[in-house]
Amino acid sequence: DVKVTQSSRYLVKRTGEKVFLECVQDMDHENMFWYRQDPGLGLRLIYFSYDVKMKEKGDIPEGYSVSREKKERFSLILESASTNQTSMYLCASSLGGTGTYEQYFGPGTRLTVT
Amino acid sequence: SQKIEQNSEALNIQEGKTATLTCNYTNYSPAYLQWYRQDPGRGPVFLLLIRENEKEKRKERLKVTFDTTLKQSLFHITASQPADSATYLCAPPNQAGTALIFGKGTTLSVSS
């Protein structure tokens, strides 16, 4: 079974802190994604990566950065957390290339910034 | 820009009935569309994929249709059960084909 794990289920941080959210997948997938999910707004893509050290901006990259040093690990970084970044963060992975591959999601991290 | 709309935020039906969820897209023509299920507090789980040249796809009690003329996909659950209660998301690819665009979802509640 594909497994995508996220470092924390719940996280509480203070405004201005640097926050790292880690995601690891064990299926050798090329593509990895970070989303945030908010009530009424649905799932929105923050960043994605199709290879090690490669990254692409999604729909809402402002205030975030990412790092992919190893194929199995994709990190989301909030350089200076703000209250409007309180959200559920979901990581996903999929096979790469030009196929129509489904995405496998982690359990999510509920981040609260106070 | 491409837009995805799932018409109903919530759908309540009785056990045994068929649930029909709608996904409309505008301003482009995706080559395929995926459907996911999401339970509260969990990540979405892939259910079905349908391509533009397929009119219909089935998997057990699930059926998906794809009408490129109407720019619409319908997701049906036949003989629905309380365990089918969840949020269902449609997700076509973006215009570049590099990522999925998720609809806001329809929350289905099946009462016994």
Side-chain angles (χ1 to χ4, degrees), chain A residues 30-65:
Chain A
E30 289 80 12
N31 294 345
M32 295 188 76
F33 308 85
W34 273 108
Y35 297 88
R36 65 177 282 177
Q37 188 171 34
D38 302 286
L41 296 176
L43 266 170
R44 294 180 291 165
L45 181 64
I46 304 171
Y47 268 97
F48 64 101
S49 166
Y50 52 88
D51 201 352
V52 175
K53 297 195 187 293
M54 305 300 289
K55 61 184 179 186
E56 293 281 343
K57 290 181 181 178
D59 300 316
I60 51 163
E62 297 78 19
Y64 303 94
S65 63

Side-chain angles (χ1 to χ4, degrees), chain B residues 6 11 18-23 33-37 47-48 57 59 61-66 72-78 84 87-90 106 108:
Chain B
Q6 292 188 248
L11 181 64
T18 296
T20 299
L21 286 64
T22 305
C23 177
L33 195 144
Q34 299 184 9
W35 283 87
Y36 288 76
R37 169 184 172 139
L47 294 174
L48 279 168
K57 200 83 167 278
K59 179 182 174 183
R61 294 184 295 110
L62 308 181
K63 184 178 88 170
V64 174
T65 62
F66 197 0
Q72 181 180 83
S73 175
L74 298 180
F75 178 86
H76 307 271
I77 305 175
T78 57
D84 296 325
T87 297
Y88 293 87
L89 308 167
C90 74
T106 296
L108 174 67

